[in-house]
């Protein structure tokens, strides 16, 4: 059974879920602060607060964009007086949401956003970046609110939502879109960085050599500092050769 | 200008994980916005793209050796705007890459500090003191604002102090840094390619590359 009216939750509590993140307790303090607003509004007495705070958080660590699902569901169960179920549900949701959310964020949404920003900035204006980032900010704010509302409405049934096949298909589609846009970014970056002036085979050879060395380092998973050393050495050789009589 | 850069560093620092995650902390966004702030929008975008490609391979979830590419991008762009040409942007890029790991130490330190504060949180839980928990959480969140601003400021000031002399005083160094700046995007592109090829395969990357190459060809051909 779903409820239609989720309680009002201060947006800053969800947005700051990771504010005190640490390796020892992860998001625990952020979780209690997020719940604190709801507990205060319900007028819980000191004994009830101590009883709730004595429990470990239902969700010790999860993706911050989707955390509203856990938070809403756990809040709903807490209001129904079943803190144990809230804890079990939170742990199950955390793991699932962590996997889905991190994949959606780091291999989908953020690379797509960044690639669009790069393409627009290089083709038109650097202000394009502000526009794209602004849209992303609004979209993630909407997503967080929606997740909380759905989590509260569905309660335990929110787990069924996460098992639907369209979620995996969406994740794969986002990764492919990110790959397509990355290909476009590569071409555009190379185009705007091409050697200027008259065409010459030596310039092309140098550019391809640099590309090759970069590829070798990339595929060997070299650290950024090693990449810098290789680039610096190559640049030094080039500048010294150009400067010698 | 330095104050605005420090403010940007603080906001991006807190946006990175502590509050918001609105994308301001993405290295490309942070660096490009810094370029707009310091009056070097095009060079800022170019430096930010290179830093973005360097950071593409890392997913900051459970990283062993944390690098703060956000602060690195801001420091690089701000430094490039204050160093004298012609080698300024190459030197700024070098400094940005070198700053990424030390800047990550500050994040690790802030997290260790937060871990140490959990005993205080536990005592507040035992008392049922929500206000104390909220104040502690707020202070730890604010710590990231301070961290971001401080790291950016230190990176910019130390970089300026260290690099102005070599870049200004030596024509050879300036030429070297200018050459590095020219070649950096070509060297960084494979880093971005690798991430997406391994994840989604060559076909999808090729579709995007071919599509834009065709578009550029048509536009350039039409212009001529």
């Amino acid at each position: 059974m779903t409820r239609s009216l989720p309680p009002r939750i201060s947006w800053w509590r969800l947005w700051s879920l990771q504010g005190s993140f640490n390796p020892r307790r992860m998001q625990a303090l952020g979780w209690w602060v997020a719940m604190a607003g709801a507990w205060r509004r319900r007028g819980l007495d000191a004994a009830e607060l101590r009883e709730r705070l004595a429990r470990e958080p239902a969700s010790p660590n999860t993706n911050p964009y989707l955390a509203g699902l856990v938070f809403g569901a756990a809040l709903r169960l807490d209001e129904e007086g079943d803190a144990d179920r809230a804890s079990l549900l939170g742990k199950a949701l955390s793991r699932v949401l962590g996997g889905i959310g991190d994949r959606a964020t780091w291999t989908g949404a953020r690379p797509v956003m960044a690639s669009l920003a790069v393409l627009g900035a290089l083709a038109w204006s650097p202000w394009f970046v502000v526009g794209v980032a602004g849209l992303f900010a609004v979209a993630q704010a909407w997503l967080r609110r929606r997740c909380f509302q759905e989590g509260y409405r569905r309660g335990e049934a929110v787990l069924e939502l996460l098992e639907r096949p369209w979620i995996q298909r969406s994740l794969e589609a986002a990764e492919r879109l990110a790959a397509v846009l990355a290909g476009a970014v590569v071409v555009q970056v190379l185009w705007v960085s091409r050697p200027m002036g008259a065409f010459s085979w030596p310039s092309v050879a140098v550019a391809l050599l640099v590309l090759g060395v970069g590829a070798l380092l990339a595929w060997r998973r070299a650290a950024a500092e090693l990449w810098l050393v290789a680039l610096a050495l190559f640049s030094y050789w080039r500048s010294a050769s150009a400067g010698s009589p | 200008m330095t104050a605005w850069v420090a403010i940007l560093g603080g906001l991006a620092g807190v946006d990175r994980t502590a509050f918001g995650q609105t994308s301001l902390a993405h290295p490309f966004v942070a660096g490009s916005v810094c370029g707009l702030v310091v009056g070097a929008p095009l060079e800022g975008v170019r430096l930010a793209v290179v830093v973005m490609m360097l950071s593409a391979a890392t997913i900051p979830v459970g990283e062993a050796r944390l690098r703060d590419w956000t602060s690195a991008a801001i420091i690089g762009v701000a430094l490039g705007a204050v160093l004298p040409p012609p080698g300024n942007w190459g030197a700024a890029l070098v400094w940005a890459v070198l700053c990424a790991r030390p800047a990550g130490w500050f994040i690790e330190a802030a997290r260790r500090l937060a871990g140490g504060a959990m005993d205080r949180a536990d005592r507040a839980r035992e008392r049922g003191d929500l206000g104390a928990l909220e104040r502690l959480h707020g202070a730890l969140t604010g710590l990231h604002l301070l961290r971001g601003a401080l790291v950016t400021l230190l990176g910019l000031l130390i970089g300026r102090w260290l690099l102005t002399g070599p870049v200004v005083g030596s024509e050879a160094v300036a030429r070297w840094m200018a050459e590095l700046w020219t070649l950096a995007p070509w060297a960084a592109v494979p880093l971005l390619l690798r991430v997406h090829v391994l994840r989604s395969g060559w076909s999808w990357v090729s579709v995007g590359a071919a599509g834009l190459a065709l578009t550029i060809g048509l536009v350039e051909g039409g212009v001529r």
Side-chain angles (χ1 to χ4, degrees):
Chain A
M1 192 164 82
T2 60
R3 285 190 184 175
S4 58
L5 293 172
R8 193 169 63 86
I9 294 293
S10 305
W11 62 271
W12 67 265
R13 292 182 187 273
L14 276 182
W15 283 42
S16 73
L17 181 67
Q18 299 199 131
S20 52
F21 182 88
N22 61 88
R24 192 176 150 193
R25 305 301 290 276
M26 293 184 282
Q27 294 170 351
L29 181 52
W31 174 267
W32 288 314
V33 167
M35 296 293 277
W39 292 337
R40 273 215 180 85
R41 287 198 179 93
R42 282 164 56 193
L44 300 182
D45 61 32
E48 287 170 320
L49 285 174
R50 278 196 299 273
E51 190 262 333
R52 279 165 174 76
L53 289 171
R55 296 173 191 275
E56 286 303 313
S59 170
N61 192 30
T62 192
N63 182 274
Y65 298 116
L66 304 182
L69 280 171
V70 191
F71 181 57
L75 188 62
R76 159 88 178 273
L77 290 173
D78 183 76
E79 287 177 354
E80 291 172 356
D82 199 338
D84 287 334
R85 269 167 61 214
S87 180
L88 285 172
L89 176 68
K91 286 180 174 57
L93 274 176
S94 280
R95 280 192 299 273
V96 173
L97 285 177
I100 292 174
D102 287 347
R103 189 178 166 193
T105 303
W106 298 105
T107 68
R110 279 174 64 102
V112 166
M113 181 275 300
S115 293
L116 287 172
V118 171
L119 291 169
L122 292 179
W124 293 296
S125 161
W127 284 101
F128 198 87
V129 178
V130 176
V132 171
L135 277 174
F136 185 92
V138 168
Q140 64 89 28
W142 173 86
L143 177 67
R144 286 181 201 239
R145 183 178 164 79
R146 184 91 180 131
C147 280
F148 169 68
Q149 291 170 339
E150 284 301 307
Y152 187 82
R153 285 193 185 112
R154 293 170 183 270
E156 279 182 299
V158 76
L159 268 173
E160 297 164 15
L161 176 69
L162 297 174
E163 288 163 2
R164 293 186 187 169
W166 65 263
I167 290 183
Q168 284 303 319
R169 286 201 295 267
S170 301
L171 291 175
E172 287 163 10
E175 286 174 355
R176 285 172 188 159
L177 178 60
V180 168
L181 291 174
V185 164
V186 162
V187 166
Q188 190 171 33
V189 168
L190 294 180
W191 177 250
V192 302
S193 314
R194 66 192 186 280
M196 292 299 179
F199 174 85
S200 71
W201 285 112
S203 298
V204 172
V206 165
L208 291 176
L209 187 58
V210 169
L211 208 56
V213 171
L216 180 67
L217 290 173
W219 258 261
R220 294 301 300 267
R221 303 179 77 163
E225 291 80 9
L226 184 57
W227 172 90
L228 180 67
V229 167
L231 177 64
L233 287 173
F234 192 89
S235 309
Y236 180 76
W237 168 68
R238 281 279 302 160
S239 67
S241 306
S244 28
Chain B
M1 190 268 280
T2 307
W4 285 114
V5 169
I7 290 170
L8 176 63
L11 292 175
V14 80
D15 183 72
R16 191 180 177 280
T17 49
F19 185 93
Q21 300 97 35
T22 62
S23 84
L24 177 63
H26 190 285
F28 179 69
V29 176
S32 300
V33 170
C34 186
L36 291 167
V37 166
V38 301
L42 296 178
E43 294 87 348
V45 163
R46 184 173 166 135
L47 192 145
V49 160
V50 175
V51 173
M52 179 194 83
M53 292 192 283
L54 283 170
S55 70
T58 54
I59 292 179
V61 177
E63 261 184 294
R65 272 182 250 126
L66 199 61
R67 284 181 176 81
D68 183 0
W69 289 113
T70 304
S71 299
I74 296 172
I75 290 167
V77 174
L79 188 62
V82 300
L83 288 177
N88 51 328
W89 289 104
L93 176 63
V94 168
W95 186 244
V97 176
L98 292 177
C99 281
R101 185 71 187 102
W105 295 337
F106 282 79
I107 298 176
E108 290 166 6
R111 288 181 178 174
R112 276 198 299 275
L113 200 68
M118 289 302 104
D119 291 331
R120 188 187 293 188
D122 288 339
R123 287 194 293 275
R125 284 168 65 203
E126 285 165 14
R127 296 193 308 269
D129 189 346
L130 291 180
L133 288 176
E134 286 166 339
R135 284 191 296 275
L136 182 59
H137 182 66
L140 293 172
T141 304
L143 184 63
H144 285 283
L145 184 76
L146 193 64
R147 173 197 58 76
L150 184 67
V151 165
T152 306
L153 206 55
L154 280 176
L156 176 58
L157 294 176
I158 295 174
R160 186 156 63 178
W161 174 64
L162 278 177
L163 296 175
T164 301
V167 169
V168 168
S170 168
E171 196 185 312
V173 169
R175 213 170 39 237
W176 176 22
M177 290 295 109
E179 187 69 30
L180 187 147
W181 177 241
T182 303
L183 296 174
W186 287 75
V189 145
L191 298 169
L192 180 68
L193 265 180
R194 178 185 175 276
V195 170
H196 291 280
V197 164
L198 288 179
R199 201 175 283 151
S200 307
W202 278 104
S203 52
W204 294 103
V205 173
S206 302
V207 163
L212 190 66
L214 188 62
T215 306
I216 291 173
L218 288 171
V219 168
E220 292 292 309
V223 165
R224 290 206 187 94

